[in-house]
C-alpha cells in the first residue's frame, strides 16, 4: 500500500503564497511539485554506453571562462556581485555579505577547469550562506567546513532537510530551513527580505537518500522593491510563471544554462540556454546573469556551447532583458543597473 501523501513546511516561518499547503511528501521523499520524480539509473548507464555525437567537437573545445582576481573587492566594503564559477556567487549589499552554493575545491568527478578568482582563505566576514539544494556541485563538504571555520558569525539558509545534512559537515553552523513559498527570518538587521521558492529538480548524494532534502531557489527583495533571484538548478516547469505572478517583474536573475546534453538524461534536471532565456522572459527579468557552465565537465555539450547559444538568443532580440556575461571574479555593480 502506497504511503499517504503529506504536506510539510517550517511552521516557524511565514508562508507567503495564499492557500499553499506546503511541500508534498510521499514517504521520506519530497515531491517535485505534485509528482514524485526518481531519476533512473538505467538512463545513466545508457549515457555511459552511448557515443556522444559531439565527442570530437567537445574534445577540441578548450574554452574556459576568463578569470580576474577579486581579492581587493573581498577586502573592501563595497557593494557588488561576483561570480566565483559554476553556481557560486558572492554578494555584498547593505553591509552584509552573502555566498551562494560555494564549491571552492575540486573533488572526485568535479574538477575545476579554471582557477578560483581568490584564495578560499580570503572568504572571511561572511554573514549568510545560501544553499539551494544538496547536489555535490552546489553543496561541497570541504567548502562548508572551511567557511564555517573562517566565519564564526555565519548563518546558513536552505531547504527542508538541509540542517541534518550540513550538521554532518559543520556541527556548529546554524541552519534555518524553509519550504517553498516561505520567508526566512533574518532578524532585524538584515538589509533585505529572503524567500525560498520552487524549482523543478531532485536530490541525491548517496545510495539511500533520494529526495530526502528539498531543492529550490532564492529571491532577495530590497526595501526599495528591487529583486535578485538565484535559481540553483531546475528543469523547465510552471514555477517561473508562479514566481513572476508573486514577485514580478524581477530585476536581476541568476539562471543556469549548462549541463543539458543528452536531453534524455538532463531535461528533467537542467534547462538549456534557450529554456533559460525563456525562463528569464517569463520572469520579466530586466537583467540575466548566466551560470552553471564552464567550470565543471558534467555533460555532453562542448564547453563554450551554452554561452554561445545564449548570446545568439540575446543577439537575435529574443531576450526581454539585458544579458550580462561576467568573467569569473568580475565585480558587477548590479544596483546601478537600470
Amino acid at each position: 500500500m502506497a504511503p499517504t501523501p503529506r504536506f510539510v513546511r517550517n511552521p516557524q516561518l511565514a508562508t507567503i503564497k495564499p492557500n499553499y499547503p506546503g511541500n508534498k511528501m510521499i514517504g521520506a521523499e519530497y515531491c517535485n511539485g505534485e509528482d514524485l520524480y526518481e531519476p533512473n539509473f538505467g538512463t545513466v548507464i545508457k549515457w555511459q554506453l552511448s557515443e556522444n555525437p559531439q565527442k570530437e567537437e567537445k574534445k577540441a573545445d578548450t574554452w574556459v571562462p576568463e578569470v580576474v582576481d577579486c581579492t581587493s573587492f573581498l577586502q573592501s566594503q563595497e557593494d557588488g556581485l561576483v561570480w566565483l564559477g559554476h553556481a557560486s556567487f558572492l554578494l555584498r549589499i547593505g553591509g552584509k555579505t552573502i555566498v551562494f552554493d560555494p564549491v571552492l575545491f575540486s573533488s572526485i568527478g568535479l574538477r575545476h577547469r579554471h582557477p578560483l578568482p581568490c584564495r578560499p582563505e580570503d572568504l572571511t566576514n561572511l554573514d549568510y550562506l545560501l544553499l539551494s539544494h544538496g547536489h555535490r556541485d552546489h553543496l561541497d563538504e570541504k567548502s562548508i567546513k572551511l567557511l564555517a571555520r573562517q566565519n564564526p558569525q555565519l548563518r546558513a539558509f536552505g531547504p527542508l532537510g538541509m540542517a541534518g545534512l550540513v550538521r554532518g559537515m559543520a556541527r556548529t553552523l546554524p541552519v534555518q530551513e524553509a519550504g517553498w513559498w516561505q520567508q526566512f527570518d533574518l532578524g532585524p538587521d538584515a538589509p533585505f527580505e529572503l524567500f525560498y521558492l520552487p524549482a523543478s529538480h531532485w536530490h541525491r548524494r548517496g545510495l539511500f537518500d533520494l529526495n530526502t532534502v528539498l531543492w529550490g531557489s532564492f529571491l532577495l527583495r530590497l526595501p526599495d522593491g528591487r529583486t535578485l533571484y538565484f535559481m540553483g538548478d531546475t528543469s523547465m516547469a510552471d514555477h517561473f510563471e508562479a514566481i513572476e505572478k508573486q514577485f514580478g517583474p524581477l530585476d536581476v536573475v541568476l539562471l543556469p544554462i549548462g549541463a543539458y546534453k543528452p536531453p534524455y538524461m538532463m531535461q528533467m534536471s537542467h534547462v538549456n540556454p534557450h529554456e533559460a532565456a525563456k525562463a528569464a522572459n517569463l520572469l520579466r527579468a530586466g537583467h540575466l546573469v548566466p551560470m552553471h557552465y564552464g567550470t565543471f565537465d558534467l555533460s555532453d555539450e562542448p564547453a563554450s556551447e551554452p554561452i554561445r547559444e545564449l548570446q545568439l538568443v540575446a543577439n537575435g532580440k529574443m531576450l526581454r532583458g539585458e544579458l550580462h556575461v561576467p568573467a569569473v571574479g568580475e565585480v558587477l555593480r548590479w544596483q546601478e543597473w537600470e
Side-chain angles (χ1 to χ4, degrees):
M1 184 175 179
T4 302
R6 57 195 174 97
F7 295 86
V8 296
R9 68 180 85 189
N10 183 341
Q12 297 178 319
L13 299 181
T15 299
I16 60 167
K17 189 175 178 65
N19 304 315
Y20 183 67
N23 283 92
K24 185 176 180 180
M25 294 191 76
I26 298 177
E29 293 188 49
Y30 288 95
C31 291
N32 203 15
E34 284 297 313
D35 301 318
L36 192 61
Y37 173 61
E38 298 179 325
N40 191 325
F41 272 124
T43 304
V44 178
I45 295 171
K46 176 184 175 182
W47 175 50
Q48 291 175 336
L49 296 178
S50 300
E51 181 81 7
N52 179 6
Q54 291 180 280
K55 179 180 179 180
E56 294 305 318
E57 181 186 354
K58 179 177 178 178
K59 185 177 179 181
D61 190 341
T62 58
W63 175 89
V64 292
E66 180 186 358
V67 179
V68 297
D69 191 281
C70 66
T71 306
S72 61
F73 172 75
L74 297 178
Q75 296 171 344
S76 75
Q77 299 298 316
E78 302 171 19
D79 284 355
L81 174 70
V82 176
W83 184 35
L84 301 178
H86 197 57
S88 303
F89 284 86
L90 185 137
L91 171 68
R92 189 181 295 122
I93 184 167
K96 298 292 184 180
T97 305
I98 307 107
V99 63
F100 298 80
D101 285 4
V103 180
L104 309 175
F105 305 98
S106 294
S107 58
I108 296 174
L110 284 176
R111 183 183 63 82
H112 279 75
R113 300 178 60 253
H114 60 76
L116 281 179
C118 61
R119 299 185 310 162
E121 310 89 81
D122 292 330
L123 291 170
T124 57
N125 301 312
L126 305 180
D127 299 287
Y128 305 122
L129 169 63
L130 305 190
L131 301 171
S132 67
H133 67 293
H135 279 151
R136 295 178 187 274
D137 59 322
H138 293 256
L139 177 64
D140 172 59
E141 181 171 354
K142 187 176 179 181
S143 301
I144 298 300
K145 287 181 175 178
L146 176 77
L147 294 180
R149 186 169 64 248
Q150 293 181 170
N151 299 274
Q153 75 286 354
L154 188 65
R155 292 189 290 156
F157 300 85
L160 299 172
M162 181 61 75
L165 193 53
V166 171
R167 195 174 297 122
M169 303 177 184
R171 183 166 295 277
T172 61
L173 177 64
V175 182
Q176 187 177 127
E177 298 180 344
W180 292 355
W181 303 110
Q182 290 203 287
Q183 180 175 358
F184 289 101
D185 181 4
L186 301 183
D189 61 339
F192 53 83
E193 297 173 300
L194 180 64
F195 304 89
Y196 196 65
L197 301 176
S200 178
H201 203 54
W202 52 284
H203 168 84
R204 169 173 264 154
R205 288 178 72 87
L207 291 177
F208 306 109
D209 64 346
L210 180 63
N211 295 336
T212 56
V213 178
L214 187 58
W215 48 91
S217 55
F218 291 97
L219 185 135
L220 287 74
R221 184 168 64 188
L222 303 184
D224 63 8
R226 281 180 297 174
T227 52
L228 183 143
Y229 177 68
F230 172 84
M231 170 59 76
D233 267 349
T234 190
S235 59
M236 203 67 201
D238 60 3
H239 57 283
F240 294 111
E241 293 98 320
I243 291 168
E244 191 283 325
K245 183 177 180 181
Q246 186 80 28
F247 290 101
L250 301 189
D251 292 295
V252 180
V253 299
L254 316 179
L255 296 181
I257 65 169
Y260 51 87
K261 287 183 177 178
Y264 64 79
M265 189 173 79
M266 296 298 191
Q267 64 186 357
M268 290 297 292
S269 300
H270 301 140
V271 290
N272 63 40
H274 296 267
E275 290 170 327
K278 180 181 178 180
N281 290 341
L282 289 171
L283 293 167
R284 291 197 290 155
H287 303 271
L288 168 59
V289 180
M291 63 170 182
H292 207 277
Y293 72 101
T295 300
F296 300 122
D297 181 5
L298 301 175
S299 52
D300 279 358
E301 75 269 6
S304 66
E305 184 180 283
I307 196 62
R308 284 190 285 110
E309 289 292 317
L310 184 61
Q311 287 171 324
L312 286 174
V313 171
N315 293 341
K317 308 299 183 184
M318 292 179 285
L319 188 64
R320 180 184 186 276
E322 184 176 352
L323 175 63
H324 303 264
V325 184
V328 175
E330 180 182 348
V331 181
L332 300 178
R333 312 292 179 183
W334 70 282
Q335 288 185 269
E336 300 173 3
W337 296 346
E338 294 296 331

